[in-house]
Amino acid sequence: MPAPALFITAGLSQYAGAAVAVGLFAAMPPHTVAWLRALAGAVVLLALVRPWRAPWNRATLTETGLFGLALVGMNMLFYVAIGHLPLGVVVALEFAGPVVVAARGHRSARGRAAVALAAAGVVAISVIGLDWGGASGPAGGGPPARDLVLGLVATAGASACWAAYMVLAGRIAAARDGQSSLAVGTTIAALAYAPLALPWAGPAADPALLPAILGMALLSTVVPYMLDQVSIRRLGTAAFALLNALLPATATVVGLVALRQRPGLWDLLGLAAITVAVALTGRGAQPAAAPPEPA
């Protein structure tokens, strides 16, 4: 299969898993659902990758642990965000952090244009596009304003975690096996975040929810991450980073089809601006500088 097709398949799988996760929010808080995804994904990755065969020391374990904490923390915040905002909106806004990080490497008119477009996209979606005037709860026909604020704060946190993930993943990819680090880092983070999520995980014992939990982990963690490892080797980092511009649109399509979330005009304009910003930062990306989007 051509590498771009693998990349698109990974993106569709990733956000299909997020759509499955939204269906679990009625049973458990979003951050607990994300933690269960990490836990199930860690078990599957450990079985597939068998990372104990790789050499480890205190320094590599520490860096891998920080990598896992950034990754799983980002996913937990991402799930909180999509519990309050449309999937496509959250993914588009989440790209702002990585765009800024990637633009730092350009130090040119292209980098400045990317930052300006990302900022314009954020304003179009979050300030103009969201229905703040109708945010008065069920009586007003829109979500409460506090839900919009919580969704935006969680998205900003996820974006910051993603930027940290990019830096750490770039270092790991340049030095050692990324799949082993992914398996170990996810396991460390699942254990570290357990006190924050486990008290609300009781409904996960219901056998009726097990297929959805396993499906979410496979669709959002195992399948896209394994495919991305193949894609980035075939494409090179520059082309891979450029293809990341397709992900906000992919998330919007999945949200429309699976969750009936129809984007508004300002959402589409903001998404287009952020997509162009991602494309600008992807052109000329340096090797191992733009790891895959891991939401």
Side-chain angles (χ1 to χ4, degrees):
M1 183 181 294
L6 286 175
F7 181 90
I8 293 171
T9 300
L12 289 171
S13 176
Q14 197 169 71
Y15 297 122
V20 173
V22 171
L24 292 168
F25 291 171
M28 291 169 285
H31 75 284
T32 298
V33 174
W35 176 77
L36 287 169
R37 164 192 160 180
L39 181 64
V43 171
V44 175
L45 286 167
L46 288 174
L48 290 176
V49 178
R50 291 178 285 179
W52 48 85
R53 299 179 298 177
W56 294 97
N57 56 44
R58 181 179 298 179
T60 57
L61 279 174
T62 299
E63 187 174 55
T64 297
L66 293 173
F67 163 78
L69 290 171
L71 170 61
V72 178
M74 183 205 64
N75 289 333
M76 292 173 74
L77 288 166
F78 177 81
Y79 277 20
V80 171
I82 63 174
H84 300 282
L85 298 173
L87 176 62
V89 165
V90 173
V91 172
L93 293 176
E94 194 183 16
F95 264 90
V99 163
V100 172
V101 171
R104 288 173 54 198
H106 290 288
R107 301 185 183 277
S108 64
R110 179 189 299 165
R112 291 191 293 271
V115 172
L117 283 168
V122 169
V123 171
I125 292 172
S126 60
V127 178
I128 305 174
L130 293 181
D131 185 13
W132 293 97
S136 55
R146 65 178 179 275
D147 284 355
L148 298 181
V149 172
L150 179 58
L152 291 173
V153 170
T155 302
S159 184
C161 286
W162 186 9
Y165 166 86
M166 286 181 67
V167 174
L168 291 167
R171 293 176 183 172
I172 289 171
R176 56 186 182 275
D177 178 21
Q179 291 189 1
S180 294
S181 294
L182 175 65
V184 173
T186 303
T187 302
I188 291 173
L191 295 174
Y193 287 125
L196 300 178
L198 190 58
W200 295 273
D206 184 353
L209 295 182
L210 185 59
I213 293 171
L214 291 177
M216 170 185 63
L218 289 171
L219 288 170
S220 290
T221 299
V222 178
V223 171
Y225 291 169
M226 300 294 278
L227 289 180
D228 281 341
Q229 291 292 328
V230 177
S231 298
I232 197 168
R233 283 198 301 269
R234 291 190 188 176
L235 289 167
T237 306
F240 187 88
L242 188 60
L243 282 173
N244 270 272
L246 297 174
L247 291 176
T250 301
T252 300
V253 170
V254 171
L256 177 63
V257 173
L259 301 174
R260 302 294 187 267
Q261 295 174 342
R262 187 185 301 275
L265 175 61
W266 285 105
D267 295 333
L268 294 174
L269 291 174
L271 187 149
I274 292 172
T275 296
V276 174
V278 175
L280 286 174
T281 55
R283 293 179 63 87
Q286 298 301 314
E293 193 277 332

